[in-house]
Amino acid sequence: MSVATMRFEDGVLHLIDQRVLPLAFETVSCRNAVETADAIRSMVVRGAPAIGCAAAFGLALDAQSAAGQMRPIFDTTLDQAFAVLAASRPTAVNLFWALERMRGVWTSQSTLPSDEMAVALVREAQAIYDEDIAANRAMGAHGAALLPQEACVLTHCNAGALATAGHGTALGVIRSAVEAGKNISVIADETRPFLQGARLTAWEMVQEQIPVTLISDNMAGHMMKSGAVDAVIVGADRIAANGDVANKIGTYMVAVLAARHQIPFYVAAPLSTFDLNAADGDAIPIEERAADEVTGFRDVRWAPEGVRVANPAFDVTPAELIAAIITEQGVIARPDRNKVAAHCRAAPMNNQ
Amino acid sequence: MSVATMRFEDGVLHLIDQRVLPLAFETVSCRNAVETADAIRSMVVRGAPAIGCAAAFGLALDAQSAAGQMRPIFDTTLDQAFAVLAASRPTAVNLFWALERMRGVWTSQSTLPSDEMAVALVREAQAIYDEDIAANRAMGAHGAALLPQEACVLTHCNAGALATAGHGTALGVIRSAVEAGKNISVIADETRPFLQGARLTAWEMVQEQIPVTLISDNMAGHMMKSGAVDAVIVGADRIAANGDVANKIGTYMVAVLAARHQIPFYVAAPLSTFDLNAADGDAIPIEERAADEVTGFRDVRWAPEGVRVANPAFDVTPAELIAAIITEQGVIARPDRNKVAAHCRAAPMNNQ
């Protein structure tokens, strides 16, 4: 049983503070949409599916607070909540997908009393959360089948339980493979600058006693060259209509190296990660984050004063480098525009 | 005028402590070979040419201490000094090259009184140091000619003044290009785990007001893909007979990405970096360093207890990915076994 990234209870969204893991285990309590947006922006919670769930709950919090008000007042409150949550982070599309699902409920019954609407919105947020766990379980089963009986799997960033409602996408595949009796070990890229790999992926794997070896990001190529890596699995923050994948910065380099060494490169992501409105990766906005993430870590600074910094938080891996995209619906081998379209059309939960 | 990495004076080798730069500017004083070997091992001083110079001075220190002793006693002292220095770090061949040059002086005159031999050894160490600066200047001129009038150059690790006796290899090329009136900006990979790029390269460039942008290692691919990089220049720790280059871990990934984006990938290194006894990169020993370099930085730890770590300090970039190797002797374009052999044969200072 993997960790519970968030808990929605009695008008509070409790989030594990992923900024301080694994040295401290603390939770942050969000009581409204503004606090939830702050938590997303500051990366208390991160990971595309987890951000989507948190945003839905953040909206539910404001809906609960405004329950009992006249609908116009309630609706104004919700409008503001949508805006603040949508502005929290730009790249992961699950955020916008979850907000649109919530908006669908909200706008479907404009005359429903606000207290009943609040109940419906809380229910929808909970459904998004529950479905995410179910999707990860399904993805895990589909992905586990792709791994050999014995495999060392390299992963970048954290696409684990902490990045989702639970079980994880990339780490969900690894967990499911282990549950199925496969002998899996993990190489975790530390994933500068936020160190999601060193802190979160390593922690999740150590907790469950799945053998994990931590490396600096720039060691991945050497590990592949030396024959230590059998497969790569990562998550995704947004997948374009042609199968291009935006994911944590550095994913592109891992994918290029994997291709050079003929190591299969897999992406595990729920259907909510697809953005069919983005024709290809160039249409995906790449978040630029603050310089101080790169000049040091937390309170420690090691770069000299006066240095400029670039801090793109994501990059785009072209579809040609991807062996398969694994969703809750199955596997898109060698993804391209036609296969992505067919896969999304076939899904019962068509998100576009 | 770039920084003076080391100073040999009055029986003491003063080294800038590169572990604490740029936040602190401190020097470490070595009074004998053991202290010098410790400084090399613990990376007070690092960078292949700088290690070679430091080792030569370390040997000179013990020679000075034993000056006046009978030759057998003096020779035993020197034997031990050679052994301890040779065991300090395994990958950079300049270390062994410098020690062999010193050994050549030592063994050439077995009957010379020890005080005269000590003088000769100090003189040889000083010559190695002086020649390194001259080599870097020559390399700078050869390399600068390869860069366009306006260029953004990405570099990995620190192959700067701090990695040499002065001026630098890769950064020497950049310095010489700037001196020649070219408009050069630099992208510095931070270079985990020791952060030579974030701390040392960024610091050298800021000091000289050469525009420098710091990135995490895993951003290099994205920067290349977005068109921001015109050339890559790195140093080297050992170059095999076929042109394969061992350099700081991560160099290989940068080279693979540069090839994908048709960005020229240059290596700047003195002839003392060539190891013609190594047929190819597979023959180069790769140092594995301590786990705590990867689980955090200095006193800060961020990885969970119980995680395994790999920490190869170097990797090998195959010759096929290298546009040119720049030495003090000129440029080896598209290096291969024949061109490397011809280049080394033509050198007045034939090191093999």
Side-chain angles (χ1 to χ4, degrees), chain A residues 22-23 190 192 198 211-212 214 217-219 221 225 250 252-253 260-261 300-302 304 308 310-311 316 320, chain B residues 22-23 190 192 198 211-212 214 217-219 221 225 250 252-253 260-261 300-302 304 308 310-311 316 320:
Chain A
L23 299 189
E190 66 175 11
R192 279 280 294 155
V212 57
L214 176 64
D217 301 312
N218 57 21
M219 295 171 189
K225 194 156 173 267
Y252 172 56
M253 293 179 75
R260 179 176 170 90
H261 293 285
V300 185
R301 187 187 167 104
W302 49 63
R308 291 189 242 171
N311 187 10
V316 172
E320 72 193 65
Chain B
L23 299 190
E190 67 175 10
R192 278 282 293 154
V212 57
L214 175 64
D217 302 311
N218 57 20
M219 295 171 189
K225 194 157 175 264
Y252 173 55
M253 294 179 74
R260 180 177 168 92
H261 293 286
V300 185
R301 186 189 169 102
W302 49 63
R308 290 189 244 172
N311 187 10
V316 172
E320 72 191 65

Side-chain angles (χ1 to χ4, degrees), chain B residues 31-55:
Chain B
R31 289 166 198 281
N32 53 50
V34 167
E35 288 179 4
T36 307
D38 280 347
I40 293 171
R41 191 177 306 108
S42 65
M43 293 169 76
V44 169
V45 62
R46 29 61 54 200
I51 290 172
C53 294

Side-chain angles (χ1 to χ4, degrees), chain B residues 272-296:
Chain B
S272 54
T273 311
F274 285 82
D275 177 7
L276 300 186
N277 296 319
D280 58 31
D282 290 342
I284 300 174
I286 300 296
E287 177 182 12
E288 181 79 22
R289 292 186 62 85
D292 63 2
E293 289 185 354
V294 175
T295 51

